[in-house]
Amino acid sequence: MWERSVAVSVVKRMVIFVAGGLTYGLLEIIWRGYSHISMFVVGGLCLVIIGSIDEGGEVPCLLWQACLGSLTITVMEFTSGVIVNLVMGLEVWDYSQLPMNVMGQICLPYSVLWLILSIPAIYYEDILRRFLFGERIPHQRLLPEFLVSENSPKKAK
C-alpha cells in the first residue's frame, strides 16, 4: 500500500514537472522569441516546488505563497544560470544590463515579475491537480490570517 502511494505521488509530481516545463518554455518563447531545454527543467522544478507550498496542513496566504514562489524561481534561475551560462558558457540569458543584477543571472525586475507570475502558477498547479487527479483545490486567502481575523487590532472596538 505504501509503495503504491509513493509511486502515485511520484507520477503526479512528474506530470506537474512536465506541465511546468512546457508552460515555462512556452511563456519564454512568447516573451523573447526562443527558449532553451534548461528552461524546461527550471520550469518543471519551479512548478513542483511552488505547488507543494500549499499542500499538507494549513494553506499559507496567497501573498506569502507568491513571495516563496518568487524566491524559488529566482534561486532556480540563479543556480541554473551559473551552471548553464557561466560554467558551460551557453549564454542562454544575460541580465548584466538590467538594474540590481547578480552576476548577470538574476535581477530585481525579474524577481518582481516572478512574484506576479507566481500567483497564476499557484492556481495553475491546483487546477492541474483537480482536473488530472481529482484532488481538492485548497482555499486561498489573499492576506495573512492576522490581518483579516476577528481578533486583529484593526477590528477591535
Side-chain angles (χ1 to χ4, degrees):
M1 179 69 173
W2 181 80
E3 294 167 356
R4 184 178 185 282
S5 66
V6 169
V8 168
S9 178
V10 168
V11 168
K12 287 179 182 180
R13 292 195 191 280
M14 287 173 50
V15 169
I16 299 298
F17 175 87
V18 170
L22 291 173
T23 304
Y24 198 94
L26 179 62
L27 288 174
E28 193 167 51
I29 290 168
I30 291 168
W31 182 258
R32 61 182 199 154
Y34 64 95
S35 188
H36 186 266
I37 191 66
S38 61
M39 296 298 93
F40 175 85
V41 175
V42 169
L45 289 172
C46 286
L47 191 61
V48 168
I49 294 168
I50 290 169
S52 69
I53 295 170
D54 66 6
E55 291 178 16
E58 186 176 331
V59 176
C61 74
L62 193 57
L63 184 60
W64 179 242
Q65 289 180 68
C67 289
L68 291 174
S70 176
L71 179 64
T72 297
I73 298 168
T74 301
V75 168
M76 292 297 296
E77 188 172 64
F78 181 76
T79 303
S80 64
V82 167
I83 294 167
V84 171
N85 295 328
L86 302 181
V87 174
M88 297 174 72
L90 296 179
E91 299 178 11
V92 177
W93 72 88
D94 181 4
Y95 297 155
S96 60
Q97 301 301 316
L98 294 172
M100 301 185 77
N101 76 81
V102 177
M103 299 169 54
Q105 304 310 301
I106 57 173
C107 64
L108 184 60
Y110 276 97
S111 289
V112 171
L113 179 62
W114 305 148
L115 177 74
I116 295 164
L117 288 177
S118 288
I119 294 171
I122 292 162
Y123 285 107
Y124 176 53
E125 193 269 352
D126 288 343
I127 290 167
L128 284 173
R129 285 182 167 278
R130 171 69 180 119
F131 287 104
L132 295 176
F133 312 123
E135 295 182 8
R136 183 185 65 81
I137 294 178
H139 172 72
Q140 300 288 350
R141 301 183 323 273
L142 178 61
L143 298 171
E145 189 67 34
F146 71 89
L147 291 178
V148 293
S149 73
E150 293 297 320
N151 298 326
S152 69
K154 284 185 170 183
K155 300 232 178 195
K157 291 184 179 183

